[in-house]
């Protein structure tokens, strides 16, 4: 080995000093430097023992080293260098434009006729109306051409019945731009290893017990479209209503299918639901525009009103967006006067983000997500408004077309709390929203800092507090 190293240093030294090393036959020795090429050379020998037929071979014998002599330099042809392999790079898709609001619209949740007529004289025009549960009229207005959106909102808010008017904001699920997804292999099922999320919160394994706790409860769901023909809904009491404008492209049946299956998936199937005995009314309030999947405030108001009229006891909102006074007024009215429990996702904008809505409204139960180790989901929004935590990382549920897969996000933590609230209502239909929130909070398993904190709220939801036995 030592001789081998000595020979190599001598050869390199002579090459640098101007001498050209020759082998024992008088032929010029060629000295090369090898660069790592990630084994894309067609399977060549990666040993460095010279056995691969390189420029020179050293057998570690000490019988007759190379004869070195100084000669006149001679011109020799430079060997052709191998072309670098061509690596195919997928084109980067253009960014999706995600506006916060409609550019020229105002939503007034309870504008009376006199104020509405006054606005018409100032250049506003009516796009759509909707009669609410309390007989007030929600109006969607187009602003005057010579007005800015901010100016138009202030004009409406100055009216006696227009103080809750606001922009027509957009709200999104965290999978708004997800492509068509692939399901897990058909051999996968909701085994103990894959369904440990239920065990984290002590969810009843006995279906008879679950059904007895749920009773005759109706759950409202506002989300994207869902696949009603999915095998997960074979035994479900499921009604689907599309409220998004017909002229707009429909939303994909990805997010809504997964959320609905978490609630009422076939208990004998591969994605069993938490409360398969409950009735679900699913409102598709979303549409697509240039890759952006979203729901506007006016359609959300229509959806919430529709659910109230159809007798929803609990409403699941796995969506998030900006503060909007029109939406807040409607939600507060439903939670107060109609006594509907509303559960919403805190959102996936990150721990440093500002609070997102409707979760941050006082009358809404705000839900964050945790993983199997009870660590908070890394993208979950934090804040004083967080109420409860629930499993939301690698949650087993239905894929969009058929089959099953895992999902992650605060959206998928919400159904666990919605199901718990449904159980409370099933056992006590007269339970108030405040009483339900107190029971869920008092029965939660404390996580993080002692007591309520900005990461986990009051802690991990517990089924023992809603369905004892």
């Amino acid at each position: 080995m030592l001789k081998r190293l000595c020979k190599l240093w001598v050869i390199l030294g002579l090459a640098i000093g101007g001498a050209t090393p020759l082998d024992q036959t008088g032929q010029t020795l060629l000295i090369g430097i090898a660069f790592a090429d990630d084994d894309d050379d067609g399977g060549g020998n990666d040993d460095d023992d010279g056995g691969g037929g390189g420029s020179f071979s050293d057998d570690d014998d000490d019988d007759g080293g190379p004869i070195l002599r100084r000669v006149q330099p001679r011109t020799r042809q430079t060997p052709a260098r191998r072309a670098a392999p061509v690596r195919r790079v997928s084109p980067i898709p253009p960014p999706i434009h995600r506006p916060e609001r409609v550019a020229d619209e105002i939503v007034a949740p309870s504008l009376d006729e006199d104020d509405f007529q006054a606005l018409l004289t100032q250049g506003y025009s009516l796009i759509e109306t909707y009669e609410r549960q309390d007989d007030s009229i929600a109006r969607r207005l187009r602003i005057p051409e010579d007005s800015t959106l901010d100016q138009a909102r202030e004009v409406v808010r100055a009216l006696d019945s227009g103080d809750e008017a606001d922009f027509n904001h957009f709200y999104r699920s965290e999978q708004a731009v997800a492509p068509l997804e692939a399901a897990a292999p058909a051999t996968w099922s909701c085994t103990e290893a894959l369904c440990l999320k239920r065990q984290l919160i002590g969810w009843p394994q006995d279906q008879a017990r679950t059904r007895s706790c749920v009773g005759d409860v109706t759950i409202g769901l506002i989300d994207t479209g869902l696949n009603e023909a999915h095998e997960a809904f074979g035994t479900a009491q499921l009604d689907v209503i599309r409220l998004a404008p017909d002229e707009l492209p429909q939303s994909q049946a990805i997010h809504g299918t997964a959320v609905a299956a978490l609630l009422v998936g076939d208990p004998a199937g591969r994605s069993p639901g938490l409360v398969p005995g409950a009735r679900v009314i699913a409102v598709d309030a979303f549409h697509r525009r240039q890759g952006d999947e979203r729901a506007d405030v006016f359609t959300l108001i229509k959806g919430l009103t529709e659910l109230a009229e159809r007798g929803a006891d609990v409403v699941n909102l796995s969506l998030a967006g900006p503060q909007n006074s029109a939406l807040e007024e409607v939600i507060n009215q439903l939670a107060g006067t109609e006594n509907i429990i509303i559960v919403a996702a805190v959102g996936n904008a990150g721990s440093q983000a500002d609070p997102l809505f409707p979760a941050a409204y006082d009358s809404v139960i705000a839900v964050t997500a945790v993983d199997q180790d009870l660590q908070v989901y890394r993208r979950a929004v934090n804040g004083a408004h967080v109420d409860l935590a629930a499993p939301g990382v690698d949650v087993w549920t239905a894929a969009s077309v058929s089959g099953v897969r895992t999902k992650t996000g605060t959206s998928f933590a919400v159904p666990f709390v919605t199901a718990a609230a449904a159980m409370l209502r099933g056992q006590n239909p007269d339970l108030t929203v405040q009483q339900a929130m107190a029971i869920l909070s008092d029965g939660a398993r404390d996580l993080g800092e002692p007591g309520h904190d900005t990461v986990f709220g009051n802690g991990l939801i517990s089924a023992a507090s809603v369905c004892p036995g």
Side-chain angles (χ1 to χ4, degrees):
M1 183 65 185
L2 180 61
K3 290 181 180 180
R4 172 194 262 176
L5 293 174
C6 290
K7 292 175 185 179
L8 181 59
W9 279 110
V10 169
I11 292 170
L12 290 173
L14 289 172
I16 295 171
T20 302
L22 305 179
D23 67 9
Q24 289 178 324
T25 66
Q27 300 299 313
T28 303
L29 290 172
L30 300 180
I31 302 173
I33 302 175
F35 294 89
D37 60 2
D38 291 332
D39 290 333
D40 55 354
D41 58 357
N45 191 326
D46 277 345
D47 293 340
D48 30 335
D49 60 1
S55 297
F56 61 91
S57 177
D58 184 355
D59 60 7
D60 261 5
D61 289 340
D62 26 16
D63 55 349
I67 301 173
L68 305 174
R69 60 179 178 174
R70 189 176 299 275
V71 297
Q72 294 298 321
R74 68 178 184 178
T75 302
R76 61 180 182 268
Q77 184 176 1
T78 302
R81 298 183 63 184
R82 184 181 62 186
V86 177
R87 299 185 184 274
R88 298 183 180 275
V89 180
S90 300
I92 299 175
I96 295 176
H97 180 52
R98 293 164 62 91
E100 186 182 59
R101 60 201 182 195
V102 182
D104 60 351
E105 294 181 10
I106 296 292
V107 174
S110 53
L111 196 67
D112 66 29
E113 185 63 25
D114 290 341
D115 287 341
F116 170 58
Q117 291 298 327
L119 290 175
L120 292 180
T121 64
Q122 299 180 57
Y124 290 79
S125 58
L126 179 66
I127 302 173
E128 188 177 1
T129 64
Y130 196 81
E131 185 174 348
R132 293 174 50 195
Q133 185 81 349
D134 60 358
D135 296 329
S136 62
I137 304 296
R139 287 180 169 90
R140 179 180 166 206
L141 305 171
R142 180 162 285 114
I143 68 174
E145 293 183 359
D146 59 352
S147 174
T148 68
L149 200 56
D150 288 316
Q151 291 170 345
R153 181 177 63 175
E154 292 312 307
V155 169
V156 180
R157 284 182 170 179
L159 301 172
D160 291 340
S161 62
D163 56 338
E164 302 296 340
D166 211 333
F167 305 136
N168 197 8
H169 283 118
F170 291 122
Y171 292 75
R172 298 171 173 90
S173 70
E174 94 283 353
Q175 287 197 331
V177 295
L180 193 63
E181 59 188 3
T187 54
W188 289 17
S189 61
C190 192
T191 61
E192 181 179 354
L194 291 169
C195 284
L196 286 176
K197 306 300 182 293
R198 297 163 185 257
Q199 297 181 23
L200 281 178
I201 61 174
W203 200 259
Q205 301 301 306
D206 182 359
Q207 290 298 327
R209 178 184 162 202
T210 300
R211 290 180 184 276
S212 67
C213 288
V214 172
D216 185 21
V217 168
T218 298
I219 297 174
L221 170 67
I222 299 182
D223 214 292
T224 69
L226 60 84
N227 179 11
E228 299 175 71
H230 198 290
E231 63 266 23
F233 304 128
T235 61
Q237 301 179 65
L238 179 63
D239 297 325
V240 180
I241 305 167
R242 175 167 167 77
L243 290 183
D246 291 334
E247 65 272 15
L248 296 176
Q250 294 187 13
S251 59
Q252 295 177 308
I254 297 177
H255 193 269
T257 299
V259 172
L262 279 170
L263 291 168
V264 292
D266 185 348
R270 297 174 64 200
S271 55
L274 295 160
V275 284
R279 177 192 178 205
V280 167
I281 304 172
V283 173
D284 176 8
F286 282 68
H287 66 273
R288 282 182 293 133
R289 178 66 63 87
Q290 297 177 342
D292 180 25
E293 198 163 79
R294 62 208 188 194
D296 62 74
V297 159
F298 193 79
T299 306
L300 290 181
I301 290 174
K302 290 167 59 178
L304 289 166
T305 303
E306 188 75 22
L307 292 175
E309 291 177 346
R310 291 173 179 252
D313 299 289
V314 186
V315 172
N316 189 109
L317 298 176
S318 292
L319 49 84
Q323 153 70 1
N324 185 280
S325 58
L327 181 62
E328 181 179 13
E329 194 269 339
V330 172
I331 284 179
N332 287 343
Q333 188 260 335
L334 294 182
T337 306
E338 304 299 329
N339 199 30
I340 298 174
I341 302 172
I342 300 176
V343 189
V346 296
N348 305 326
S351 61
Q352 302 302 312
D354 292 333
L356 295 176
F357 299 84
Y361 296 137
D362 291 340
S363 58
V364 174
I365 300 177
V367 183
T368 191
V370 296
D371 63 16
Q372 184 67 36
D373 299 319
L374 302 183
Q375 299 299 307
V376 71
Y377 174 46
R378 61 184 180 84
R379 292 177 57 192
V381 173
N382 295 348
H385 63 292
V386 179
D387 292 309
L388 292 165
V393 177
D394 293 331
V395 175
W396 187 255
T397 187
S400 58
V401 177
S402 64
V404 291
R405 61 163 297 153
T406 56
K407 295 281 192 175
T408 294
T410 58
S411 279
F412 307 107
V414 176
F416 286 88
V417 178
T418 297
M423 282 187 168
L424 286 178
R425 272 290 168 82
Q427 298 166 82
N428 187 354
D430 297 325
L431 197 71
T432 67
V433 172
Q434 292 72 23
Q435 288 171 333
M437 293 178 73
I439 293 172
L440 294 174
S441 297
D442 292 344
R445 174 183 173 183
D446 193 21
L447 300 176
E449 297 294 327
H452 182 278
D453 62 64
T454 60
V455 178
F456 302 98
N458 293 298
L460 183 69
I461 189 73
S462 171
S465 64
V466 298
C467 188

